[in-house]
Amino acid sequence: MLAVLAGIIFCLCGFTLTVAKGVEVNGIAVGGMARSEAALLVRKEIENELKEKTLEVRAGSKVYTFTYPEIYYKDNVYSLLKNAKKDDKLTAEVSYYLCGLNSIAPHICRNESISVVEPYAKFSSFSTPFTYFEGSDGKCADEKKLVEDIKNSLKGGFEPVTVRFNRVKRQKTMSEVKKSTRLLSTFTTYFDGSNMNRTSNIRLAAGKLNGTVLESGKTLSFNDIVGARVKERGFLPAKIIEKGEFVEGVGGGVCQVSTTLYNAALLSGLKIEEYHPHSLAVSYVPPSRDAMVSGTYFDLKISNPYATPVYVRAKTAGGSVTFSIYGYDDGTVYSLSSEVTGAIPAPEENCDSPEKAKAGKDGLTSEGYLTVTRDGYTKSVLLRKDKYSPITRVIYPNAAAEEGEEDEKNGTINFVN
């Protein structure tokens, strides 16, 4: 009984896995063959035909070419063989697809798209401040359309596919660019051009700041840009203020550079994050208009509150140093003023020789103001209050008597009050 049952199962399986007699698929006789063998035979012919096909994707002058096995297929061959009846003449349904289409299409689109170039200005620290460029529109490949066209081509006769592009227009205009690069302020201070060491220090420090671009929201540190004022970096001895007196020191004149920048920054609407007054009043700006820098602890820091960059140019010529600041012009006008609010008499002391005598100088208190005019309205803002120390007068008491004796010898008499 077991032997009979096994024979029946064998016959049934053989019947089920064998293609009916006389069946043809795609013109290939497969009747009586095992289904798996018949399927392989039909599919081999399908693949041979596919190997002759090519899909071209054209993007301008560039062509992307795809062939088997990048292009593969799906079919219903096995289903046909399973359900085929004796002497059926059948045609398999074959659909083609591009392997990895969902990554290939974005890759092509990224490669062939051209980014828009907005109008822009190129900043120069010398000659003309800005050179302007019109930019160009871009083009963006239509990824969705490309996927659709590739699928339709593979459904049809493998017609070449052309990438479609959409124009991407520039968002900015040249007038907007120029509005962001206008001269906001310029400020000049003067010095003795015959003092070679001081002139050299001023030129060196200003040169390091020349060409600085301060991005929106960023802060400029004078000390970070100019660096240490030491001989090894080219700075020379000149007059500086130390312990309430004017003395020789390396880097004399650099404070005039920071002061000039400070005034230009205020006049352009930039924000002063850190400044320090001198202990003594200086001659190149009115009181409450100076900005002292020293070592690494006393810095001048300026931040950019605008949405666009600001550009700094510095120029040293003859006996002057000038800072010019460019950026977005919102129509606001700034002006600076200062007021002396009090005097601090210089103390006096006597000395025992004419060589030790010093003229001295009274100190003072002062206030600095920023006047802002915007949309027809003007307001004045108190920026700072300062106190500048006096310089002691050193008097030689015998000077008048000696002068009278000398005049008497020469036959003249002077009366000294």
Side-chain angles (χ1 to χ4, degrees), residues 49-68:
E49 290 181 6
L50 179 56
K51 289 176 183 178
E52 300 298 319
K53 297 179 182 291
T54 298
L55 172 66
E56 289 186 351
V57 177
R58 299 171 180 173
S61 60
K62 197 169 185 177
V63 178
Y64 296 83
T65 303
F66 303 95
T67 58
Y68 175 87

Side-chain angles (χ1 to χ4, degrees), residues 281-294:
V282 295
S283 60
Y284 43 82
V285 287
S288 291
R289 299 269 300 269
D290 60 322
M292 179 269 292
V293 291
S294 179

Side-chain angles (χ1 to χ4, degrees), residues 190-206:
Y190 299 89
F191 55 89
D192 180 6
S194 65
N195 186 332
M196 301 307 295
N197 282 10
R198 182 179 176 86
T199 300
S200 177
N201 291 338
I202 290 174
R203 182 178 290 111
L204 180 57

Side-chain angles (χ1 to χ4, degrees), residues 304-329:
N304 176 12
Y306 296 109
T308 54
V310 293
Y311 308 86
V312 179
R313 284 185 53 160
K315 181 181 180 182
T316 306
S320 68
V321 56
T322 300
F323 275 91
S324 299
I325 296 180
Y326 301 82
Y328 180 76
D329 183 7

